[in-house]
Amino acid sequence: MTHHRRRAARRRDRTRRITPRTHWLLLSVFAVTLSTALLLQGYTHHMFGITSDAVTGVRGRSDMVPARVAHGGPVIAGAATSPHTARVRPRTIALTFDDGPDPTWTPRILEVLRRNHVHATFFVVGTQVVAHPELVRRIVADGHQIGIHTFTHPDLARLAPWQRSLELRETQLAVAGAAGVTTALLRPPYSSENGALDDADWSVLKQADAAGYVTVLSTQDAEDWQRPGARRILANATPHGHGGQVLLMHDAGGDRSQTVAALAALVPRLKAQGFRFATVSDAVGMAAPVQPAGLGDHLQGLALVRALQGGDRVVRLLGWLMYAAGAISVLRAAVVLTAARRHRRLRAGGPDRSWGPRVTEPVSVIVPAYNESAGIEAAVRSLLASDHPVEIIVVDDGSTDGTADLVEALGLPVRVIRRRNAGKPAALNSGLAAATCDLVVMVDGDTVFEPDTVRTIVQPFADPRVGAVSGNAKVVNRGGLLGRWQHIEYVVGFNLDRRLFDLAECMPTVPGAVGAFRRRALLDLGGVSDVTLAEDTDLTMALCRNGWRVVYEEGAKAWTEAPASLNALWRQRYRWCYGTLQAMWKHRGALVQRGAAGKLGRRGLIYLLLFQVLLPLLAPAVDIFALYGLVFLDPVRIIGLWLTFLLLQLLMGLYAFRLDGERPGPLWSLPLQQFVYRQLMYLVVIQSVFTAVSGSRLRWQRMERYGSLQPPVGAQPLPSDLTREEPPAASTPR
């Protein structure tokens, strides 16, 4: 039994190791599927298209065109073997309509034909068949004949043989899927009479014949594509004499109201003159070219129609999503900038101006530390250099690099608590239990304070409603592109958002690098929870839901190390994002609460959901669609939109840097940020969401330290009655 349990445990371990990678396979499948759908949609809708029949190019040599074809009838068969043609019987008109079906004009033309009890032949375009399969079924049901006019309406003579085959085959499948029939009739786009054939056209006809098609040209062109007026179309369509004609008209490709009007007058007039109307096959006496489709062709056709219709819907959806995302992003920029300006006005006058009497009481500073030997000395010395009385408590959470020994060896008035490794929340709770002051500042072991940071960050506690204060975390290691990008993100993204959250009274996160709290507010919550990986976000949301106000004090600056490699950045942001998702789910009840909790739920949580979860999840699709636009749509417009958004981000960056007193030099790297950093961040969100949905438990991932922190110049310990003590037993406040 024990052996079976061990095997089951090993299987579970393997599952935990393998399962999180599944989402990358799903993402890859999604990206490939979407790209394929867009490529197919782009080819079928934007590579060619229906244009005027006058667009035929320069006619080439016609040495290869047999004389009996050049001077024969409009229906050509056996081009690849033994070419022969057929003429229309005298006093017979084969009405043909190209470029349809069209949802507006095809039904009107069908109605004219129905009223006059005549049948015609419709040469359909594959993309139009896919868009309006019901019209193809109606054409067949009304007794009319179907021919194909290629899939995307290109000049077949200018295509490679494989493209010609693709055009014909895909159109045939579309007709089979839409109406359950196949047809042997073909009219190449931009074709006219036999005498206009050149050698390139003849090669098309031979290839079409080898594929089983009979080519149908025209003998009389109504020239309705020029839209000269109904009277002129009527004149062009009226035969001279009694010879039979294949009459070319159009039921799509633009406004065909003149065609409809001319047709309504033409049919009765020619009937009165003794002409009869027939389909192409009846007019020349050929065997029925339209036959029921085989099961295979019908199923393949249905799949093609459904796939292309799905692609059309995806493109429309992505278009709407891009417009929506763009509008939301612009609205967000406007709101954030307006809030930042208002926040600056409200905070004008210095850190002691509006909260109430100056706060001078001593502060307990808790430093949770796990293997922080690279920067702990700089962090401690910076705290001792504070111009505010502080009690410093370093909680060593089972470090293996001698962090606690290093702090003790400094001989500074710092309390050191040693405990077995249990994670950051447990370390913070140990420090909270040992703290003797009513105000508590929490700072990471990779962070240094400026001399006035502690004094500045505690001033908002003059307002008894304030339970926590977020400081201004800044990146100290800004060298290289990655450092600059994170510096930009801290200044532009995090700090602008915090100003907005402050005004809206829905601050979701007091960062672990620099945050201040009322000790009793934390004790009322039972201390720092360890049920999420973003303990700072979880704690902040819990304070908001408990009725406390959380504010942002931009003057309380702390300098922290940022990840210096993509791998380290990935691990840090993965933990942040996953922990934030956990905290959002944990505090989802705030959405329906009132008061401070309701502000957090209906303002803060919705903001986070929209801009930190949903929009990043859409980012891969947006990027793929942008590439689609560059290839198939208007590249100038796409690039213009991208430059517009980049300019918007640049303006936000300039304003944010000005608010933070930063030089704008790093903003030159903002365009490059869109091609690497942005993709990394949305991949982090995707992995976090998949991990959360799968129910996997992400372990704590510690960031690598680089030793780039330095204490303030001339930092000296301040006189204090807070003497070093032996650490009490660690306990969790309740």
Side-chain angles (χ1 to χ4, degrees):
M1 187 67 178
T2 303
H3 175 68
H4 289 304
R5 283 199 296 267
R6 284 198 299 267
R7 290 181 60 187
R10 285 196 296 270
R11 284 196 298 269
R12 287 194 296 271
D13 289 342
R14 285 197 299 269
T15 300
R16 281 194 292 268
R17 289 195 298 268
I18 295 172
T19 300
R21 298 182 182 275
T22 304
H23 62 274
W24 294 126
L25 176 62
L26 294 176
L27 178 62
S28 300
V29 171
F30 166 78
V32 170
T33 302
L34 179 60
S35 300
T36 302
L38 291 178
L39 283 172
L40 186 59
Q41 206 272 352
Y43 176 85
T44 56
H45 287 73
H46 301 290
M47 286 294 290
F48 303 104
I50 300 172
T51 57
S52 167
D53 281 2
V55 184
T56 56
V58 179
R59 184 169 178 266
R61 297 172 61 89
S62 57
D63 300 340
M64 305 296 295
V65 181
R68 60 181 174 274
V69 171
H71 303 289
V75 179
I76 305 170
T81 54
S82 177
H84 57 278
T85 67
R87 297 182 183 275
V88 179
R89 295 185 178 106
R91 289 187 176 274
T92 301
I93 303 294
L95 280 173
T96 63
F97 297 91
D98 286 5
D99 299 346
D102 180 273
T104 300
W105 306 113
T106 301
R108 298 188 184 184
I109 288 173
L110 289 173
E111 181 59 25
V112 172
L113 298 177
R114 186 193 63 79
R115 287 199 309 266
N116 290 276
H117 306 288
V118 299
H119 293 119
T121 302
F122 290 80
F123 290 93
V124 296
V125 175
T127 54
Q128 294 294 103
V129 172
V130 169
H132 311 289
E134 73 286 351
L135 291 179
V136 182
R137 289 191 290 270
R138 179 178 171 183
I139 290 171
V140 174
D142 285 357
H144 303 290
Q145 206 161 67
I146 289 287
I148 68 172
H149 198 45
T150 72
F151 201 79
T152 61
H153 203 272
D155 185 348
L156 291 176
R158 299 175 184 271
L159 299 185
W162 69 267
Q163 285 181 286
R164 298 172 187 170
S165 297
L166 182 65
E167 286 283 334
L168 301 183
R169 177 60 177 164
E170 296 305 287
T171 313
Q172 191 73 263
L173 286 178
V175 171
V181 299
T182 59
T183 178
L185 300 180
L186 164 69
R187 172 172 286 163
Y190 310 112
S191 61
S192 57
E193 299 178 352
N194 296 52
L197 293 173
D198 60 16
D199 291 344
D201 297 325
W202 184 242
S203 70
V204 172
L205 267 61
K206 289 196 296 181
Q207 184 175 348
D209 175 70
Y213 290 98
V214 173
T215 301
V216 180
L217 302 180
S218 62
T219 59
Q220 190 155 355
D221 187 353
E223 298 185 2
D224 55 341
W225 48 270
Q226 298 190 58
R227 298 185 185 86
R231 294 177 63 181
R232 185 60 184 170
I233 294 173
L234 180 60
N236 293 337
T238 301
H240 301 287
H242 303 295
Q245 306 291 338
V246 175
L247 177 60
L248 171 61
M249 303 183 83
H250 298 82
D251 64 327
D255 184 350
R256 298 303 178 200
S257 57
Q258 296 178 6
T259 301
V260 175
L263 181 65
L266 176 69
V267 175
R269 173 185 293 184
L270 293 185
K271 277 188 172 183
Q273 295 177 7
F275 283 90
R276 61 182 287 265
F277 292 86
T279 62
V280 168
S281 61
D282 290 341
V284 298
M286 67 180 290
V290 179
Q291 297 292 329
L295 180 61
D297 284 346
H298 182 56
L299 293 178
Q300 290 183 62
L302 282 176
L304 175 66
V305 170
R306 295 292 184 267
L308 291 177
Q309 287 178 339
D312 291 342
R313 286 191 289 269
V314 167
V315 169
R316 286 195 296 271
L317 176 62
L318 287 178
W320 283 110
L321 288 177
M322 286 195 67
Y323 281 120
I328 291 173
S329 298
V330 171
L331 179 62
R332 177 199 183 192
V335 171
V336 167
L337 290 176
T338 302
R341 184 174 181 181
R342 184 180 178 191
H343 189 273
R344 183 186 185 188
R345 289 201 306 267
L346 292 175
R347 297 292 186 266
D352 307 327
R353 67 276 163 232
S354 61
W355 301 110
R358 181 170 180 174
V359 176
T360 59
E361 62 184 276
V363 175
S364 295
V365 181
I366 303 173
V367 186
Y370 174 70
N371 289 348
E372 298 284 1
S373 59
I376 193 66
E377 180 178 355
V380 169
R381 290 190 180 278
S382 75
L383 295 172
L384 288 169
S386 297
D387 59 7
H388 193 91
V390 294
E391 170 193 40
I392 302 174
I393 304 172
V394 175
V395 184
D396 183 270
D397 189 42
S399 297
T400 59
D401 66 346
T403 297
D405 295 335
L406 191 155
V407 176
E408 289 178 339
L410 296 176
L412 299 173
V414 178
R415 298 180 66 183
V416 178
I417 299 176
R418 297 173 183 264
R419 58 166 297 130
R420 286 182 298 179
N421 180 257
K424 186 177 179 181
L428 290 172
N429 285 329
S430 295
L432 191 59
T436 61
C437 301
D438 293 332
L439 300 180
V440 175
V441 171
M442 296 180 181
V443 53
D444 289 340
D446 63 340
T447 303
V448 298
F449 277 13
E450 294 186 353
D452 65 345
T453 299
V454 174
R455 173 176 55 82
T456 303
I457 201 171
V458 298
Q459 296 311 311
F461 290 116
D463 185 340
R465 299 174 301 168
V466 174
V469 183
S470 168
N472 185 350
K474 292 185 156 306
V475 175
V476 67
N477 51 330
R478 304 177 181 180
L481 279 176
L482 194 59
R484 289 188 181 93
W485 290 339
Q486 292 178 85
H487 172 43
I488 293 172
E489 183 181 28
Y490 271 65
V491 175
V492 181
F494 299 159
N495 289 344
L496 282 183
D497 279 348
R498 286 194 182 105
R499 288 178 170 90
L500 173 63
F501 292 142
D502 191 354
L503 287 180
E505 299 182 15
C506 61
M507 185 77 67
T509 305
V510 172
V514 52
F517 304 86
R518 289 191 191 275
R519 186 169 180 268
R520 66 181 177 90
L522 299 182
L523 295 178
D524 288 344
L525 294 174
V528 182
S529 172
D530 64 352
V531 299
T532 74
L533 288 183
E535 80 291 331
D536 47 4
T537 300
D538 183 14
L539 181 62
T540 308
M541 291 182 178
L543 287 170
C544 289
R545 295 188 68 187
N546 218 27
W548 291 101
R549 185 180 175 192
V550 182
V551 300
Y552 173 55
E553 179 49 72
E554 66 270 24
K557 298 178 182 178
W559 298 85
T560 186
E561 279 190 329
S565 68
L566 288 176
N567 185 46
L569 178 63
W570 174 274
R571 293 198 307 269
Q572 182 199 66
R573 297 310 172 86
Y574 183 23
R575 177 177 62 82
W576 285 6
C577 185
Y578 182 77
T580 299
L581 291 174
Q582 288 179 307
M584 292 171 63
W585 181 253
K586 177 181 176 181
H587 296 285
R588 64 190 183 277
L591 290 166
V592 296
Q593 290 181 299
R594 296 183 178 181
K599 292 178 181 178
L600 170 70
R602 291 182 289 277
R603 298 176 186 177
L605 293 186
I606 290 178
Y607 186 93
L608 292 178
L609 178 65
L610 185 61
F611 293 107
Q612 293 193 19
V613 179
L614 296 182
L615 285 184
L617 287 178
L618 289 174
V622 171
D623 285 352
I624 293 174
F625 190 74
L627 293 175
Y628 166 83
L630 287 175
V631 175
F632 294 110
L633 302 179
D634 184 356
V636 175
R637 182 183 177 189
I638 299 297
I639 294 174
L641 289 173
W642 183 80
L643 291 175
T644 300
F645 278 102
L646 184 62
L647 178 61
L648 179 63
Q649 290 180 318
L650 180 60
L651 293 175
M652 290 180 64
L654 289 170
Y655 188 64
F657 270 59
R658 179 184 174 189
L659 289 179
D660 263 26
E662 296 281 357
R663 291 183 299 179
L667 290 174
W668 70 264
S669 64
L670 194 59
L672 297 176
Q673 191 183 44
Q674 307 304 306
F675 296 103
V676 179
Y677 195 81
R678 174 175 168 272
Q679 280 71 22
L680 181 68
M681 291 301 103
Y682 72 56
L683 289 176
V684 164
V685 174
I686 290 171
Q687 173 146 336
S688 300
V689 170
F690 270 96
T691 303
V693 171
S694 67
S696 302
R697 174 75 176 181
L698 182 65
R699 298 182 61 188
W700 182 271
Q701 301 181 37
R702 179 185 171 276
M703 195 188 85
E704 182 181 356
R705 306 306 186 198
Y706 312 102
S708 58
L709 300 174
Q710 296 294 329
V713 177
Q716 298 293 333
L718 294 178
S720 175
D721 58 356
L722 302 174
T723 58
R724 184 181 179 193
E725 304 175 10
E726 291 300 320
S731 61
T732 301
R734 298 294 179 191

